[in-house]
Amino acid sequence: MYAYVSVLAYNKDLFDKAGLPYPPSSYEDKSWTFDKMVDYAKKLTIHSKDPSKAQYGLNWAWGSNDMNPIYFGAKVYSDDTWTNGGKPSQNFFASPDVTNAIQKVADLIWKDKVMPSPATSQALASGSDVFLTGKVAMEAQGGWILSNAGSVKFKMGVAAIPVGNNPNVRDVTYVDPLIIVKGSKHPDEAFQWIMYLLQKDVQEKSIKLSGGTPPANTNALDAYYANFPTINKDDLKNVVEGGLKYGMESYNHLIANYSQIMTIVNNELNLVLNGKKKASEVTPTLQQKLNDFFSKNK
């Protein structure tokens, strides 16, 4: 029904004020790297004890805590995950590659000082998305963030997720299906309803009414690209096409018992993101806890 890609949303006003060029929207521009993004973020960060004057260059919300490592080229779950119904037999959180990837994200907060901590984000945004406060210059986030383009007090732009250590996975895609339950008493009527929802004009209405839900019917894509007042439609087209080309479907669509897995993952990794521990101090424990969980839930 829908296919959201990840985007790098950015605050055009903050870029203009800093005199920086906007980041590129093309995924084929290999000069746009993670390190270059961090360099931009440093130039866009303003440190101040006064919260009203503080500004952050980046909020890296690219994917869930267990997906982030694959962007940096690390392997998180065993290969059998994708062949046995989404049930991993083991995980590799304690590996150097995964541990370093987790630390790299935490370093954006505590070493590079370009990203707000989870506590700071909560204080600034009161449960909303911190990027929407206008105090963050760039945010890697699911494409739903764009639906706010017409309501925020700044001009929003959209760019490609930069090149990381895994050139084939630069984007998280969120593919949401419509399903007819096997035991449905009205499968034909349900199918007719789905076909109605997928019509071009209905999908175009859905885009407008929702604030910007991406259509499954590609004939309605032009309406989606033109939907956002401050976003260049060619940039958005580049980002959507590039995101689908270099995307990996979100793990929450692929892995069984995912909410329970993420409770275990987040309980450990939030200690790192909140600056209380280094990644190397928590990943061995996390790996063991997850492997124990996998053994009990075969």
Side-chain angles (χ1 to χ4, degrees), residues 147-225:
S147 64
N148 298 281
S151 59
V152 291
K153 296 180 180 180
F154 58 88
K155 294 177 182 177
M156 191 185 300
V158 65
I161 302 294
V163 180
N165 294 71
N166 186 342
N168 296 318
V169 180
R170 291 170 57 185
D171 192 279
V172 183
T173 56
Y174 303 85
V175 182
D176 297 328
L178 287 169
I179 297 168
I180 300 174
V181 180
K182 183 179 180 180
S184 172
K185 296 179 180 179
H186 304 283
D188 293 336
E189 291 85 349
F191 182 73
Q192 290 175 30
W193 172 240
I194 289 173
M195 293 304 292
Y196 168 77
L197 292 175
L198 294 177
Q199 291 181 83
K200 177 177 178 288
D201 63 327
V202 177
Q203 294 245 297
E204 289 176 342
K205 290 177 183 177
S206 178
I207 292 166
K208 189 169 292 293
L209 290 170
S210 66
T213 302
N217 186 334
T218 56
N219 292 320
L221 275 171
D222 285 342
Y224 175 69
Y225 296 146

Side-chain angles (χ1 to χ4, degrees), residues 46-74:
I46 299 174
H47 298 291
S48 175
K49 293 182 180 179
D50 183 349
S52 66
K53 297 179 181 178
Q55 178 179 302
Y56 296 90
L58 175 67
N59 186 42
W60 185 255
W62 181 81
S64 54
N65 281 331
D66 64 335
M67 277 202 81
N68 264 311
I70 68 171
Y71 173 85
F72 298 101

Side-chain angles (χ1 to χ4, degrees), residues 234-246:
D234 292 330
D235 284 343
L236 183 53
K237 185 174 186 290
N238 286 341
V239 168
V240 170
E241 291 179 350
L244 293 174
K245 180 179 179 181
Y246 295 101

Side-chain angles (χ1 to χ4, degrees), residues 59 61 121 125 127-133 139 141 144-145 148:
N59 186 42
S121 293
S128 182
D129 192 296
V130 70
F131 175 70
L132 302 178
T133 65
E139 179 172 272
Q141 180 61 277
W144 49 82
I145 192 71
N148 298 281

